[in-house]
Amino acid sequence: MIPTDAPGSRARGVPRSRGGTRARADKDERMAAITMEQQPAADEHIAGLRNRIDEIDAALVALWKERAAISREVGATRVAAGGTRLVLSREREILERFSAELGADGTQLALLILRAGRGPL
C-alpha cells in the first residue's frame, strides 16, 4: 500500500490540488467585473441584431407569399393556354440553383418554395 503522503498519491475521491486557488478566484472576479461592464453593450448589440433578424424574417415572409402567388398565376396561365400545370425541367432548374448556392439545405428550401407555389404533387 502506498502511504498517503507519498509523492503522487492522494486519498481516493479527493481531487489533487493544483495550487493557485486564490489567483484563480481573483481572475474569476476580474472576468466577472469585465463581463458585468460589457453586459449592457452586449445586450444592446444583441437587441439590434435581433431587430435586423425580425426585419429579414418579415421580408422573407412577404417575398415567399409574393413568389407563391406569381407561381400559381404562371401555372394557371399555362393550364389556360392548354399546357401542363408543371414544367419539371423548370423545377429541376430551381432545385439546382438553390442547391448550388446553399447545399443540401438549399435543396430542402427549394422544395418548400416550389410546393408553396404549386401545391403538393
Side-chain angles (χ1 to χ4, degrees):
M1 180 179 250
I2 301 173
T4 56
D5 60 343
S9 68
R10 67 178 196 269
R12 186 172 291 226
V14 176
R16 189 175 299 161
S17 173
R18 299 190 193 281
T21 32
R22 182 67 213 153
R24 199 168 338 130
D26 289 344
K27 181 181 177 190
D28 290 345
E29 287 175 21
R30 285 192 308 273
M31 292 303 292
I34 290 170
T35 302
M36 289 179 68
E37 290 171 10
Q38 293 173 338
Q39 194 62 45
D43 290 345
E44 186 177 328
H45 182 65
I46 290 169
L49 293 171
R50 287 181 174 160
N51 284 337
R52 183 63 184 132
I53 287 171
D54 292 345
E55 291 169 356
I56 292 168
D57 287 351
L60 287 171
V61 168
L63 289 169
W64 179 283
K65 289 178 177 180
E66 180 183 2
R67 189 195 187 287
I70 292 170
S71 183
R72 285 190 298 270
E73 186 176 342
V74 166
T77 302
R78 196 172 34 248
V79 168
T84 61
R85 183 173 70 101
L86 301 175
V87 176
L88 294 179
S89 61
R90 172 69 177 154
E91 289 203 358
R92 193 172 316 114
E93 175 187 317
I94 292 166
L95 284 165
E96 288 172 2
R97 183 176 346 130
F98 275 75
S99 177
E101 288 292 326
L102 304 172
D105 288 341
T107 302
Q108 294 301 310
L109 179 58
L111 288 169
L112 290 170
I113 289 170
L114 289 169
R115 182 177 177 171
R118 62 159 154 70
L121 293 176

